[in-house]
Amino acid sequence: MQDGARPHPTEKVFRFFDEYFGNKVIALDYPKFTGTGMDWPPYSPDLTPCDYFLWDALNDTVYGNHPSTLDELESAICVARNSISVEILKDVMSNFNLRLRHLVFSNGEHFENIVF
């Protein structure tokens, strides 16, 4: 979704979500498929740690050596993932809580002008 494209949900993914998370899922078109969960709100601020942290953190490490095969790419992803410390993940989750507080305070309105 970083390039503005819609996510590409599949039946297999939705079945997995439904089996493990049930009505706790917030995802685009999820309720239409399963009858449970909540639709992802349109134009919502980036709240997911993967959106505001993980992809940027992994991108430089994964593509820094320009993997040319799927095996090299998979290996680079594993190395990058393992390089993220527990302390960094704790900071990310603390920031996530702060973002949620700002969302509640703003009554669900956008708050992109705030630097976290």
Side-chain angles (χ1 to χ4, degrees):
M1 288 181 54
Q2 290 182 336
D3 61 359
R6 288 178 45 103
H8 309 290
T10 66
E11 182 176 338
K12 186 175 182 180
V13 170
F14 281 161
R15 287 197 192 287
F16 173 84
F17 286 168
D18 193 48
E19 180 180 341
Y20 287 94
F21 304 109
N23 67 351
K24 297 176 186 172
V25 176
I26 302 173
L28 189 62
D29 295 332
Y30 185 76
K32 290 178 195 171
F33 179 78
T34 64
T36 64
M38 177 188 282
D39 230 354
W40 187 257
Y43 309 111
S44 62
D46 285 337
L47 294 175
T48 308
C50 289
D51 285 342
Y52 67 81
F53 166 73
L54 185 61
W55 304 135
D56 287 339
L58 295 180
N59 190 44
D60 293 337
T61 305
V62 169
Y63 293 106
N65 292 326
H66 308 288
S68 58
T69 67
L70 282 177
D71 287 338
E72 288 176 3
L73 179 61
E74 182 179 350
S75 177
I77 290 170
C78 289
V79 167
R81 180 200 62 212
N82 291 335
S83 71
I84 300 172
S85 72
V86 171
E87 289 304 313
I88 289 174
L89 294 175
K90 286 179 181 178
D91 289 344
V92 168
M93 293 315 297
S94 175
N95 185 277
F96 178 61
N97 286 330
L98 179 63
R99 287 169 181 265
L100 290 175
R101 280 191 235 115
H102 278 283
L103 180 65
V104 169
F105 180 75
S106 69
N107 291 321
E109 297 294 322
H110 290 287
F111 54 89
E112 289 91 356
N113 59 333
I114 298 173
V115 177
F116 291 93

